Amino acid sequence: MKSEQDRALSREGEAGRTLLPRTPGEITNSLSHYYRGELGRMTSWRDRIDRTSNWAITVVAALLSVSLSTPTSHHGVLLFGIMLVTLLLMIEARRYRFFDIYRARIRQVERCYFAQIMAPDANAGSEWATVIAGSLRKPRFLLSYHEAMHRRLKRNYGWMYLILLLAWCLKITTPKLQTEGMPALQAQSWTYVIDNAVLGPIPGLVVLAIVVAFYLGMLAFALRPDRDEGEFGRGEAHV
């Protein structure tokens, strides 16, 4: 004879089974609601990504205005801008990893369900529901942190780094941008550039070496090959 606890567990199991959709209409309705929910979460994380990019653009524009419009401003302002943009890139890479989870689920439903309804393809896979179910039971990141940084660097932040580098080079090589009243002449020697690149107690040559090493590292990181896997390897429209 079953105990009260066993009977309670049995009733809970039966109640749980009755709540699951059974007919094709119920399954379709549930899938539509699920799709809208995932789309909302993906849109929310996409909005967070755009905000970080907007912050970075605002920082670059503000620091360019301060540095290049005032001859007495220090070139270190632009180096500080590079540090801020790097921090925002790291934050955006973290947000992009979350966004990519929901984007991959959405693409599975669109590619393997809705597209099949509109134009059936015999070669399309049928394991999409299992893939989504596995992701729902055990959510995991589909991208590494470095891969996410790589994508955001190539799409947005590479141009910001380039603009800051050009502005910094202009700042330390143009006499008019260094001292009030100096004529608009270009630097005539490397000694002049090295002297202008001094940053507090750090010699100008060391500052130049650090900046060159940083940008060479970023360039090598940006030029590494893409990893065309999963939903990212299908089609051309990507974030």
Side-chain angles (χ1 to χ4, degrees):
M1 189 173 185
K2 290 185 176 180
S3 64
E4 288 294 330
Q5 185 178 3
D6 292 337
R7 285 195 291 270
L9 291 175
S10 179
R11 287 195 296 269
E12 289 178 2
E14 292 176 358
R17 286 193 295 270
T18 57
L19 292 176
L20 295 176
R22 295 182 177 181
T23 65
E26 291 176 344
I27 294 174
T28 301
N29 187 45
S30 299
L31 186 59
S32 300
H33 286 296
Y34 166 75
Y35 176 78
R36 283 196 291 267
E38 290 287 12
L39 190 62
R41 288 201 285 184
M42 184 190 74
T43 304
S44 175
W45 280 102
R46 174 59 195 270
D47 181 62
R48 295 183 183 185
I49 293 174
D50 290 340
R51 288 182 190 178
T52 314
S53 298
N54 291 338
W55 294 343
I57 293 171
T58 302
V59 166
V60 171
L63 294 182
L64 287 178
S65 177
V66 170
S67 179
L68 299 182
S69 64
T70 307
T72 55
S73 65
H74 198 271
H75 71 91
V77 173
L78 294 171
L79 298 180
F80 180 68
I82 294 174
M83 294 174 60
L84 283 179
V85 169
T86 303
L87 175 61
L88 291 171
L89 172 60
M90 295 171 65
I91 295 173
E92 185 163 322
R94 175 185 175 276
R95 294 179 173 182
Y96 185 83
R97 296 181 76 195
F98 283 95
F99 162 80
D100 188 64
I101 296 174
Y102 305 118
R103 183 184 65 85
R105 293 176 184 173
I106 288 293
R107 286 293 300 126
Q108 286 279 353
V109 176
E110 291 177 343
R111 181 171 56 84
C112 300
Y113 183 75
F114 291 117
Q116 284 292 93
I117 294 175
M118 298 175 185
D121 183 4
N123 297 323
S126 59
E127 73 286 352
W128 62 275
T130 304
V131 173
I132 295 178
S135 178
L136 291 173
R137 289 191 175 98
K138 294 183 178 180
R140 64 181 183 86
F141 291 115
L142 305 178
L143 285 176
S144 67
Y145 189 79
H146 288 85
E147 189 69 25
M149 284 188 64
H150 177 241
R151 291 188 184 178
R152 302 316 296 159
L153 177 64
K154 289 186 66 175
R155 283 161 179 74
N156 285 4
Y157 284 79
W159 298 107
M160 301 182 206
Y161 280 118
L162 178 60
I163 291 171
L164 286 172
L165 176 63
L166 295 177
W168 184 72
C169 292
L170 182 65
K171 182 69 177 178
I172 65 174
T173 58
T174 306
K176 188 176 181 180
L177 295 177
Q178 292 295 326
T179 308
E180 271 310 341
M182 290 293 290
L185 299 175
Q186 296 298 318
Q188 299 297 321
S189 66
W190 276 106
T191 303
Y192 177 84
V193 176
I194 293 173
D195 291 341
N196 286 335
V198 172
L199 187 63
I202 306 176
L205 192 59
V206 175
V207 175
L208 287 171
I210 293 174
V211 173
V212 170
F214 174 80
Y215 271 88
L216 287 178
M218 295 299 285
L219 181 62
F221 183 64
L223 294 180
R224 58 183 285 193
D226 286 319
R227 192 182 57 137
D228 292 334
E229 296 181 6
E231 293 300 325
F232 188 76
R234 301 175 184 274
E236 299 177 349
H238 298 290
V239 179

